[in-house]
Amino acid sequence: MTEWTEPAADDPFGLHNLPLCATRDGWVGVRAGELILNLGAAEEAGLLDAGGAFTRAGTLNRFLATGRPTWTRVREQLTDLFTGLSTGTAGAPHRAAVEAMLHPVAGTALALPFEVADYVDFYSSEEHAKNLSRLFRPDSPSLLPNWKSLPIGYHGRAGTVVVSGTDVPRPHGQRKAPDEERPSFGPSRRLDIEAELGFVVGAPSTGPVGVDDFRAHVYGAVLVNDWSARDIQAWEYQPLGPFLGKSFATSVSPWVVSLDALEPARAAAPVQDPPVLDYLREAERYSYDIRFEVFWNGTLVSRPPYAGIYWTPAQQLAHLTANGAWARTGDLYASGTISGATPEETGSFIERTWNGAHPVRLDDGSTRSFLEDGDTVTISAAARCAGGPADGTMIGFGEVRGTVVTRV
Ligand code: MN
């Protein structure tokens, strides 16, 4: 039996967060401090009511599909349950029953938290778009004419979304450097990362989702590493967009942080100029103050800031369904690489090293421009609450980690 201990008020995984997960043992849970409550067991015991969505569930999909009234009710039930445990109002026998359902975070193997339906990746950081344009198309204007008119994106590969900790075999493909006469096939020589925030659709739609209906459909967010083979990408992406340079693997963090938890971390989104079309115009426009850190073999190399993203997740969902496409439970759509104004705030290594012109020095004395086999990348993030009683408190996302291995 695991003894309940109340997480500290400033714990990034304190009771203001309550992120959800799925385990390799086939049950779903909620994190409180360093413990995970088995939600299926708790529901079967009558400690909470998600309409059966947690009972014998191996992923979060059934709960995601229930929609916002149930999400809100369950969050309140969980808060009451944990608060009751801490204050003792739940009673001693009750406490023993709950403790039988608690598992330490350390030692619990986590799985992909939800079955991914469709995966879309956007391109919504203005600094990143400008940097990539300079690197890929040095002779063209820094932003293409459509960039400030619509959130640019592409459909990725849902079947290769993997949970943090999964090794990433180096992709093979066609590549042709500018100084090479002919393309060749082989392992990528310019393997990179993209630090992103991914949004998880819960309640489905049978048509367009209005820009102000974002919170009715989206449950929460995860961290995303959109691994990218720049040499394969550069040779294939014109005229139809990213394909095999991206689809070999996309890593996500195991914790799904709810939009409810992120509410106190709302931040102003950039003013859009020129004004957007009506279907993208928000009654209330906001982003989230989420601060990322990127570690290369343990060395902190960048701190990308999410708050300044040009296209908000509400606009992204409105745009991706504007043609009549349905939103489905388990849809994952990512922000696009998050980059700030300085090299130390960029969310990819091609930007951080300026295509290898400025390699980074790691703590072990080695230098890097692109990923080598055996390299581990860890992206972590936390949202910062502003104002109110939670002012300054962090909401943890944990991390998304992956190691590049030689493909056999
Ligand atoms: Mn990306």
Side-chain angles (χ1 to χ4, degrees):
M1 177 152 320
T2 307
E3 194 173 330
W4 165 253
T5 43
E6 160 124 27
D10 62 352
D11 185 330
F13 291 99
L15 300 184
H16 59 301
N17 189 342
L18 299 175
L20 305 184
C21 68
T23 70
R24 296 211 191 153
D25 289 336
W27 49 271
V28 296
V30 61
R31 179 169 178 174
E34 293 307 310
L35 298 172
I36 307 172
L37 173 71
N38 181 329
L39 288 166
E43 183 167 46
E44 282 197 273
L47 297 173
L48 55 91
D49 173 20
F54 292 134
T55 303
R56 289 183 291 279
T59 70
L60 295 170
N61 289 60
R62 266 196 279 143
F63 177 66
L64 294 174
T66 60
R68 182 146 295 282
T70 301
W71 304 338
T72 301
R73 186 180 77 236
V74 167
R75 184 172 170 81
E76 288 166 0
Q77 290 171 350
L78 287 170
T79 303
D80 289 347
L81 179 64
F82 287 122
T83 307
L85 285 182
S86 300
T87 58
T89 52
H94 186 142
R95 179 172 178 133
V98 176
E99 287 184 335
M101 302 166 191
L102 293 173
H103 303 258
V105 171
T108 302
L110 299 177
L112 196 61
F114 56 96
E115 188 183 339
V116 182
D118 282 295
Y119 168 51
V120 165
D121 191 22
F122 284 96
Y123 191 59
S124 289
S125 156
E126 183 171 357
E127 299 291 348
H128 172 72
K130 285 179 172 170
N131 285 338
L132 268 275
S133 178
R134 288 180 199 121
L135 289 164
F136 275 82
R137 297 179 300 275
D139 302 325
S140 303
S142 66
L143 284 179
L144 293 173
N146 58 3
W147 197 88
K148 290 200 167 180
S149 181
L150 55 86
I152 302 289
Y154 68 94
H155 270 275
R157 187 171 181 83
T160 45
V161 175
V162 297
V163 73
S164 176
T166 307
D167 285 346
V168 176
R170 179 175 297 272
H172 291 212
Q174 271 201 34
R175 62 273 207 275
K176 191 186 90 62
D179 60 347
E180 290 175 332
E181 192 137 325
R182 270 186 262 276
S184 58
F185 186 90
S188 170
R189 295 178 289 222
R190 297 204 298 149
L191 185 57
D192 196 359
I193 63 140
E194 294 191 337
E196 308 194 15
L197 188 65
F199 289 85
V200 182
V201 173
S205 79
T206 51
V209 175
V211 72
D212 294 321
D213 293 334
F214 162 67
R215 284 177 50 81
H217 291 273
V218 171
Y219 175 77
V222 294
L223 307 183
V224 174
N225 183 349
D226 174 28
W227 303 90
S228 299
R230 299 302 180 193
D231 44 359
I232 299 171
Q233 180 185 358
W235 175 232
E236 75 178 1
Y237 86 104
Q238 294 191 97
L240 217 46
F243 187 29
L244 301 181
K246 301 271 195 178
S247 62
F248 54 93
T250 306
S251 301
V252 298
S253 57
W255 308 108
V256 184
V257 175
S258 68
L259 295 187
D260 285 334
L262 292 174
E263 274 296 292
R266 279 195 191 194
V271 173
Q272 295 186 304
D273 182 26
V276 296
L277 296 178
D278 283 347
Y279 79 99
L280 292 170
R281 190 170 301 148
E282 300 150 294
E284 197 183 3
R285 175 173 166 76
Y286 60 92
S287 173
Y288 298 102
D289 183 5
I290 301 173
R291 299 153 187 220
F292 283 64
E293 292 185 322
V294 180
F295 298 86
W296 199 336
N297 293 344
T299 302
L300 176 61
V301 296
S302 183
R303 296 175 189 270
Y306 176 78
I309 204 88
Y310 192 83
W311 294 104
T312 67
Q315 292 178 311
Q316 290 173 331
L317 183 60
H319 185 66
L320 98 83
T321 58
N323 61 352
W326 302 359
R328 293 198 295 166
T329 300
D331 280 354
L332 172 68
Y333 65 98
S335 57
T337 310
I338 301 158
S339 289
T342 70
E344 292 74 25
E345 294 177 307
T346 50
S348 71
F349 296 151
I350 193 172
E351 293 168 273
R352 182 68 183 81
T353 70
W354 208 249
N355 202 17
H358 307 292
V360 292
R361 180 171 294 276
L362 305 184
D363 290 343
D364 65 2
S366 64
T367 57
R368 289 289 190 286
S369 293
F370 290 96
L371 288 160
E372 296 183 6
D373 287 357
D375 282 359
T376 296
V377 176
T378 305
I379 301 168
S380 63
R384 188 179 186 283
C385 303
D391 187 45
T393 307
M394 305 304 285
I395 301 154
F397 278 86
E399 63 181 38
V400 56
R401 179 173 43 83
T403 298
V404 178
V405 298
T406 310
R407 199 178 86 177
V408 288

